[in-house]
Amino acid sequence: MVNLGDIRDRVFSFFEEVGALSRFTSRFFREAFRPPFEWAEFLNQCYYVGNRSLTLVGITGFIIGLVFTMQSRPTLLEFGAVSWMPSMVGLTIVREVGPVVTALICAGRIGSGIGAELGSMRVTEQIDAMEVSGTNPFKYLVVTRVLACIFMLPLLVLIGDALALYGSYLVEHVKGDVSFQLYFNQVFDALTFGDLLPSTIKSFFFGLAIGVVGCYKGYYCSHGTVGVGVAANTAVVVASLLLFILDFMAVVVTDIFYDL
């Protein structure tokens, strides 16, 4: 039998969580534009975020390019359209696959890492000690990490896209004897400014979602060391869900502009 009380409590809890996350995000925007600015910590977090995910993003992007081309080539050969392979792969990776896959990887690596790091600082009372000493822990810990995610994710997406296209080129070079210049000429002929701009803009929003969720879960962590693991896990789940929602919204908005 369905317990209506439990359903009501879950719905209320969900909306409370949405409200708390919204307040946390609005506080981030207020603090981000208010001096003083923690430039040294921001640059340190940029290096940390980029270095933590670069290898995994590069390897994943390269393999996606290889697999996607190898899986698509037989079908295009069957219809005599294998010459469209560079254009199709370029549009697919730049528009959708590259940003989404890179963001999901970063949600797993960066989001969980930030949640665990801030969560451990919360349960060991380091954040409380910063507040007592007169330091603004939100600006130092949260703003710098979220801004690092916002600015580094588009760069990681660019690197992942480039390696995915190179992996696709290798398959075409081996199986179809396509030269490097011919392959990438066809890729860039198919791409337009309208393809690059939406994917770049949504990458910034993906970085914002990953950073905010990871910091929120860690900053308000509770229940000791068990809560640290919960914060890291829930940060990945919530950030991944937000990425799909943001991607859907970006596709809808882009489709509206294409129809105008």
Side-chain angles (χ1 to χ4, degrees):
M1 182 177 180
V2 178
N3 192 330
L4 296 180
D6 289 343
I7 296 176
R8 184 179 63 253
D9 291 341
R10 289 178 181 273
V11 172
F12 286 161
S13 176
F14 170 77
F15 284 107
E16 286 177 357
E17 188 81 358
V18 171
L21 184 58
S22 300
R23 290 194 299 272
F24 188 84
T25 306
S26 64
R27 184 181 177 186
F28 158 74
F29 282 109
R30 289 196 306 270
E31 296 285 353
F33 297 102
R34 183 183 301 168
F37 303 106
E38 303 288 349
W39 293 110
E41 180 64 14
F42 166 67
L43 294 176
N44 181 54
Q45 290 301 321
C46 284
Y47 171 77
Y48 178 73
V49 169
N51 184 61
R52 166 172 279 193
S53 304
L54 180 60
T55 302
L56 185 57
V57 166
I59 293 174
T60 304
F62 182 74
I63 293 176
I64 284 176
L66 289 174
V67 173
F68 188 73
T69 305
M70 293 176 67
Q71 292 287 339
S72 303
R73 203 169 194 281
T75 303
L76 293 181
L77 275 173
E78 185 176 343
F79 290 96
V82 72
S83 61
W84 289 92
M85 177 65 72
S87 303
M88 183 193 71
V89 173
L91 288 172
T92 303
I93 289 176
V94 171
R95 280 186 179 182
E96 191 66 24
V97 175
V100 173
V101 172
T102 302
L104 289 173
I105 293 172
C106 292
R109 293 283 291 174
I110 300 171
S112 62
I114 291 175
E117 182 182 12
L118 295 188
S120 63
M121 294 180 71
R122 172 61 74 182
V123 299
T124 56
E125 300 182 351
Q126 296 180 50
I127 296 178
D128 298 331
M130 293 177 68
E131 293 174 345
V132 171
S133 64
T135 306
N136 186 347
F138 193 93
K139 180 176 285 292
Y140 186 81
L141 298 175
V142 175
V143 173
T144 54
R145 283 165 173 77
V146 176
L147 288 176
C149 292
I150 292 173
F151 286 102
M152 293 306 296
L153 192 66
L155 296 178
L156 292 172
V157 169
L158 180 64
I159 294 172
D161 289 351
L163 290 174
L165 292 174
Y166 185 73
S168 176
Y169 153 72
L170 289 180
V171 175
E172 284 296 288
H173 179 69
V174 172
K175 291 182 173 292
D177 197 23
V178 177
S179 67
F180 182 89
Q181 183 175 0
L182 175 60
Y183 182 88
F184 282 95
N185 280 342
Q186 292 185 8
V187 169
F188 290 118
D189 284 343
L191 293 173
T192 63
F193 186 74
D195 299 316
L196 297 174
L197 184 62
S199 62
T200 303
I201 292 175
K202 71 182 180 181
S203 297
F204 285 102
F205 284 96
F206 288 167
L208 173 65
I210 294 169
V212 166
V213 171
C215 289
Y216 169 74
K217 290 296 183 180
Y219 199 78
Y220 294 113
C221 176
S222 59
H223 305 298
T225 55
V226 176
V228 176
V230 173
N233 290 332
T234 55
V236 176
V237 174
V238 175
S240 300
L241 179 61
L242 275 179
L243 292 177
F244 288 119
I245 294 173
L246 289 172
D247 184 57
F248 173 74
M249 294 171 61
V251 171
V252 171
V253 172
T254 304
D255 188 60
I256 292 174
F257 278 104
Y258 283 150
D259 292 339
L260 294 178

